Amino acid sequence: MNHNPQSILKTTFGYNNFRPLQEDIIDRTLEGKDSFVLMPTGGGKSMCFQIPALIFEGITIVVSPLISLMKDQVQALRGNGIKADFFNSSISLEEENEVIDRAMKGEIQLLYLSPEKLISVSSTWLKKLNIKLVAIDEAHCVSMWGHDFRPEYTQLKVFRNSLPEVPFMALTATADKSARKDIEEQLGLRNSKLFISSFDRENLSIEVKGMVPKKKKLSEISRFVEQKRGESGIVYCLSRKNTEEVAAYLNEEGYSVEFYHAGMNPEERERVQTEFINDDTKIIVATIAFGMGIDKSNVRWVIHYNLPKNLEGYYQEIGRAGRDGLPSETLLYYNMRDFVLYSQFAEDGANSAMQKEKLSRMLQFAEAKSCRRKILLSYFGEHLAENCGNCDVCENPPKDFDGTILAQKSLSGIARMGEKEGITILINVLRGSNNAEVHEKKYFQLKTYGVGKDVSFFDWRDYIVQLANQGLIEIMYAEGSALKITRMGWKVLKGEKKVKLTYPVTAEEKEKRKKKPKVVRMVDDGEVNQDLFSELKKLRYSISREENVPAYIIFSDKSLKQMAVDLPVTENQFLAISGVGMNKMEQFGEEFMEVIKKFKDVAKPVKIPTTLETFNCYKEGLSPQEIAEKRNLQITTIYSHLSQLYSEGKEVELEKFVEPKTVDKVRVAFNETGREIALKPIYEKLNEEVSYGEIRLSIALILKNE
Ligand code: ADP
Ligand code: ZN
């Protein structure tokens, strides 16, 4: 047996490098010590116990409350040639006996058990096994403080104490400081070391939209998914009714969609979930209950149709996107109604004060005007040094202005209506709308009536929410959301204090930013051959049907994309693909390489586009001159390639190859010759002093930067 974690990572799982902390955790476990692993969903927790499990000679017990996840993990492990089994209430008596038999014979490396099963067998056959490691997944379930408390978990301490020499590992994605202590105690961990990895999921973009009316929200969502056709995503809703409505809407628009909620029977839920995992259904509209038990790595987007109850839940839900590390989008819609509704729920529930506090933190996040990722991470105790560049605020930093007059107008409106009206009527009064309510209450007689005509309804709404966030206005949820003026608000009204407001971001601006390329790392999508990628996906799908496992268990999207870039056709090349270990190479290598070979043959006459070859040389750090020599081409040709790449948006620093002065000269000549992209007239116009290559470079720069 191989005893080197690094080489197991490569040969068994097909990965080249450990993620932060994985190696330390593995080393500590191999020394026989306890660990507490706190990593975000998708952070790579499982690897921390899976590799030791392969090194230890004996069995590793994995406790998990999520039955469907168990099956997935076991399938994934088997896909990599690892002997894994699970034991829970979903298997028949006969299967149970088979598993026990295999375990007793020492034929299982990892055995997944639900806590209740573990407890029921811990003093029978389980005792006889050569247990070398115990991993407790979703460890927060042991804490009564948490939101997923499971009573069976509290009995795990007895199990821990019965195996004093065995290292235990607790793993979770959610636990604040006080919960951590509680978990360690409840599980009886010994001298455990805490490993916290960054909770930042850089590949997830974050966007929040407030106060979007329902109709608009639906049509926006439809447009959003249209752009992502064929990719998997989840829409989270607050109520069952909502899930059905939204699913019906999207279904009518022609998308592959199903709803999912706790009111459906278990078989139906199982079916919907399986179809999603297998890529047969692309979109799931669900209440928060969905996703707990699934490990689908290629979820490309998550939309929240309503405001989540707290940031923990929100982060966990958006975390279901992009587990494979590829760029994925998340979008949160919220409105005040969600907030009010939840506040009322919280009022009646247990831990009312804490729930309300969490809810208001959630709202603050949604209404924030600074980097959202910073706010989110700081909530989890992590501090980003810089703004993330991948959230809507970073992409569209708000501009502020002196909003004192606007603030005074709204505050005065509130005062004149006796601090007993809500936001909508206030805006109607400010804007001078003559609707029934304004009329009936004779608000048209107020001095503030119509003083804010020039500001749109939605902008007013944005400003008033900002005023509330700044503590000038209080929204009295218990009094029909009436607006009241705070002490600070009165100061502003009396002119003793100034107010800064920020301009609302217009839909147009948001659209504009969409076109900008996002921070894409790892595989550059532009280089992925989409035809080949979809061929590979088809092959993966047919194999997954034959083998009756989810498609991503065969290969992740990320692996397929890399194949469609690197075009591996030998075993060694194939093994170099991330996610391809020996077992997958042996099982599927030939079939996939066959498709790639065929593709290469067809594509041969074209070969790799010559510009792309130049780009590859450029990325290796060669200068244009060196590229020309290496490729045996004219320097002008290389400049022309680089210009083309630059125009296509590739990262090429053209500015390096041509002087600004030259660009200016070319600009004049280019304009004078009628802006035609013909080099000769410009060359002549400039007295043959500027080379063709430089002209080409200059034109690319001119066109791209106008
Ligand atoms: P978690 O249990 O923390 O939610 P997983 O263990 O399911 O996360 O890991 C998420 C994904 O990351 C899986 O597809 C896993 O194979 C992959 N992964 C884990 N470790 C590495 C690594 N070192 N390099 C590349 N991918 C990894
Ligand atoms: Zn940001």
Side-chain angles (χ1 to χ4, degrees):
M1 181 66 218
N2 189 338
H3 285 271
N4 179 330
Q6 178 78 45
S7 86
I8 296 179
L9 181 71
K10 181 66 207 164
T11 54
T12 304
F13 296 96
Y15 299 133
N16 291 318
N17 302 105
F18 279 111
R19 296 206 180 134
L21 301 183
Q22 284 180 330
E23 209 168 5
D24 295 344
I25 298 165
I26 292 167
D27 287 347
R28 184 177 169 87
T29 307
L30 292 176
E31 286 170 20
K33 296 177 183 158
D34 287 5
S35 304
F36 191 145
V37 178
L38 194 52
M39 282 187 188
T41 315
K45 286 188 284 300
S46 318
M47 199 66 79
C48 300
F49 58 80
Q50 286 169 351
I51 288 186
L54 300 184
I55 293 175
F56 284 134
E57 277 160 26
I59 191 167
T60 290
I61 301 293
V62 185
V63 184
S64 167
L66 307 170
I67 291 183
S68 51
L69 193 66
M70 248 184 233
K71 190 171 151 203
D72 280 1
Q73 285 219 358
V74 167
Q75 279 180 331
L77 286 167
R78 288 186 179 165
N80 285 322
I82 297 165
K83 287 177 255 161
D85 263 301
F86 62 87
F87 195 86
N88 61 36
S89 55
S90 76
I91 62 174
S92 67
L93 205 61
E94 204 183 343
E95 288 170 308
E96 269 191 15
N97 286 326
E98 283 170 18
V99 173
I100 296 171
D101 196 41
R102 278 199 290 276
M104 298 300 274
K105 284 195 201 143
E107 289 172 2
I108 300 179
Q109 293 166 294
L110 285 116
L111 178 62
Y112 284 71
L113 286 138
S114 59
E116 50 282 7
K117 278 285 177 191
L118 177 103
I119 291 157
S120 76
V121 302
S122 61
S123 53
T124 60
W125 56 270
L126 199 74
K127 236 168 70 177
K128 300 189 190 127
L129 301 180
N130 181 18
I131 298 175
K132 283 295 168 70
L133 168 64
V134 177
I136 299 174
D137 213 354
E138 312 292 339
H140 59 278
C141 293
V142 75
S143 172
M144 271 188 270
W145 301 89
H147 44 93
D148 289 331
F149 175 59
R150 308 231 176 187
E152 318 84 59
Y153 260 64
T154 55
Q155 295 182 48
L156 292 174
K157 192 171 188 170
V158 180
F159 183 57
R160 201 279 163 267
N161 291 335
S162 72
L163 296 167
E165 305 299 325
V166 174
F168 268 56
M169 186 186 293
L171 307 103
T172 176
T174 55
D176 58 33
K177 260 200 191 127
S178 55
R180 273 175 226 162
K181 264 222 177 74
D182 193 35
I183 294 168
E184 287 190 322
E185 268 172 32
Q186 297 298 327
L187 292 176
L189 297 186
R190 302 180 177 190
N191 269 327
S192 77
K193 181 167 174 182
L194 175 64
F195 294 88
I196 307 183
S197 79
S198 168
F199 269 60
D200 191 3
R201 299 278 311 280
E202 294 173 36
N203 61 320
L204 304 182
S205 71
I206 302 175
E207 181 172 1
V208 181
K209 289 184 167 190
M211 329 283 176
V212 180
K214 186 169 166 182
K215 252 196 178 150
K216 188 150 177 264
K217 191 152 75 172
L218 285 171
S219 73
E220 279 185 11
I221 292 175
S222 169
R223 241 190 322 158
F224 182 98
V225 296
E226 172 64 35
Q227 289 169 349
K228 315 229 158 348
R229 246 189 211 275
E231 304 203 291
S232 302
I234 307 172
V235 183
Y236 284 110
C237 297
L238 176 58
S239 69
R240 295 176 189 181
K241 197 170 127 249
N242 273 159
T243 65
E244 296 184 11
E245 274 173 17
V246 175
Y249 178 86
L250 291 175
N251 186 35
E252 231 161 72
E253 300 272 303
Y255 299 104
S256 152
V257 57
E258 297 257 17
F259 60 84
Y260 180 103
H261 58 63
M264 296 153 65
N265 64 43
E267 295 79 48
E268 194 59 10
R269 292 216 306 256
E270 174 83 23
R271 178 189 66 78
V272 170
Q273 184 162 306
T274 308
E275 288 182 6
F276 181 61
I277 289 172
N278 291 344
D279 282 346
D280 289 332
T281 303
K282 298 295 182 193
I283 305 171
I284 299 292
V285 187
T287 49
I288 45 157
F290 183 78
M292 261 299 265
I294 63 164
D295 175 12
K296 182 174 163 65
S297 66
N298 65 342
V299 175
R300 285 275 75 82
W301 54 267
V302 165
I303 293 178
H304 280 89
Y305 190 77
N306 306 96
L307 188 75
K309 282 189 195 120
N310 51 49
L311 286 166
E312 285 91 344
Y314 169 70
Y315 203 51
Q316 202 164 40
E317 283 145 23
I318 63 171
R320 304 219 163 99
R323 275 174 170 234
D324 52 12
L326 295 178
S328 307
E329 286 181 48
T330 78
L331 171 58
L332 159 68
Y333 285 102
Y334 75 97
N335 59 47
M336 275 309 170
R337 197 142 14 112
D338 304 339
F339 180 76
V340 175
L341 206 65
Y342 277 138
S343 302
Q344 285 160 357
F345 287 157
E347 201 79 54
D348 312 329
N351 275 341
S352 167
M354 185 165 83
Q355 281 191 40
K356 274 181 149 169
E357 171 57 25
K358 291 196 166 188
L359 180 60
S360 60
R361 292 290 289 268
M362 184 70 231
L363 186 67
Q364 275 169 18
F365 166 81
E367 288 173 340
K369 301 270 178 187
S370 62
C371 175
R372 297 198 195 274
R373 197 176 312 266
K374 259 192 173 168
I375 300 177
L376 200 52
L377 289 172
S378 81
Y379 180 77
F380 295 108
E382 198 175 322
H383 300 284
L384 275 188
E386 280 175 44
N387 290 344
C388 77
N390 198 15
C391 74
D392 55 343
V393 181
C394 280
E395 306 235 357
N396 238 313
K399 299 180 198 80
D400 56 22
F401 63 95
D402 183 352
T404 311
I405 306 245
L406 283 176
Q408 286 169 336
K409 284 180 180 171
S410 36
L411 291 166
S412 140
I414 296 170
R416 284 173 202 279
M417 289 190 290
E419 297 185 279
K420 60 182 186 325
E421 298 290 0
I423 192 164
T424 308
I425 189 152
L426 170 64
I427 298 172
N428 283 330
V429 168
L430 290 170
R431 287 181 38 77
S433 309
N434 196 8
N435 70 11
E437 196 177 4
V438 171
H439 200 78
E440 201 174 292
K441 295 184 171 163
K442 297 204 163 53
Y443 285 152
F444 52 83
Q445 294 171 349
L446 297 181
K447 249 181 115 175
T448 36
Y449 183 76
V451 293
K453 265 200 185 76
D454 48 334
V455 177
S456 77
F457 187 91
F458 290 104
D459 286 358
W460 263 124
R461 185 154 208 156
D462 193 288
Y463 292 140
I464 294 166
V465 170
Q466 288 185 49
L467 294 175
N469 279 341
Q470 293 185 29
L472 308 185
I473 295 175
E474 202 176 343
I475 304 175
M476 310 303 288
Y477 294 107
E479 298 168 31
S481 297
L483 303 176
K484 290 218 159 41
I485 303 173
T486 63
R487 268 179 50 198
M488 204 172 17
W490 284 110
K491 280 194 178 159
V492 172
L493 194 52
K494 286 188 234 152
E496 292 164 13
K497 202 175 147 45
K498 286 204 174 307
V499 179
K500 275 220 163 89
L501 289 174
T502 62
Y503 290 110
V505 179
T506 65
E508 210 174 283
E509 279 167 316
K510 287 215 165 167
E511 274 314 307
K512 226 169 35 193
R513 82 156 175 86
K514 282 251 162 67
K515 299 203 183 79
K516 272 198 297 180
K518 290 262 165 62
V519 242
V520 180
R521 292 175 313 163
M522 298 164 279
V523 185
D524 177 358
D525 249 10
E527 291 173 59
V528 176
N529 188 299
Q530 295 300 332
D531 294 339
L532 177 57
F533 180 49
S534 68
E535 281 304 309
L536 295 172
K537 277 212 279 201
K538 271 188 220 155
L539 173 60
R540 176 179 68 176
Y541 183 77
S542 71
I543 296 178
S544 79
R545 295 299 77 214
E546 270 166 36
E547 309 235 332
N548 198 19
V549 294
Y552 68 84
I553 298 255
I554 314 284
F555 285 123
S556 68
D557 277 16
K558 191 173 161 188
S559 301
L560 294 191
K561 278 193 178 166
Q562 207 187 331
M563 288 178 207
V565 173
D566 295 353
L567 312 178
V569 287
T570 66
E571 294 205 348
N572 273 338
Q573 289 170 352
F574 202 73
L575 277 171
I577 301 289
S578 172
V580 180
M582 282 309 285
N583 197 62
K584 292 208 172 156
M585 163 71 219
E586 277 162 21
Q587 269 192 290
F588 311 120
E590 212 168 309
E591 275 180 276
F592 280 85
M593 283 192 282
E594 198 59 37
V595 170
I596 295 168
K597 273 186 206 141
K598 245 191 231 148
F599 177 84
K600 266 188 153 172
D601 287 343
V602 176
K604 218 159 221 158
V606 208
K607 285 191 297 170
I608 316 182
T610 174
T611 52
L612 207 57
E613 234 169 89
T614 295
F615 190 43
N616 289 337
C617 296
Y618 174 80
K619 280 194 293 191
E620 282 168 22
L622 300 187
S623 71
Q625 191 60 46
E626 286 164 339
I627 302 175
E629 278 161 25
K630 180 172 174 192
R631 300 204 54 210
N632 208 5
L633 293 170
Q634 295 291 325
I635 181 88
T636 321
T637 312
I638 302 302
Y639 280 139
S640 140
H641 289 172
L642 292 173
S643 305
Q644 192 185 331
L645 290 161
Y646 177 80
S647 319
E648 287 165 3
K650 295 268 184 345
E651 268 182 56
V652 177
E653 289 182 77
L654 275 199
E655 296 87 350
K656 273 198 183 154
F657 309 127
V658 52
E659 295 267 318
K661 268 204 311 230
T662 312
V663 179
D664 288 338
K665 274 194 214 161
V666 173
R667 183 179 289 112
V668 175
F670 180 52
N671 287 334
E672 284 176 1
T673 53
R675 295 179 70 86
E676 265 193 67
I677 309 194
L679 305 191
K680 197 150 182 249
I682 299 177
Y683 182 67
E684 284 166 358
K685 187 131 211 141
L686 294 174
N687 307 323
E688 307 186 356
E689 280 166 8
V690 178
S691 73
Y692 277 109
E694 285 173 312
I695 297 176
R696 210 174 262 288
L697 294 171
S698 304
I699 294 181
L701 282 164
I702 294 165
L703 292 177
K704 194 74 190 262
N705 297 316
E706 331 192 87

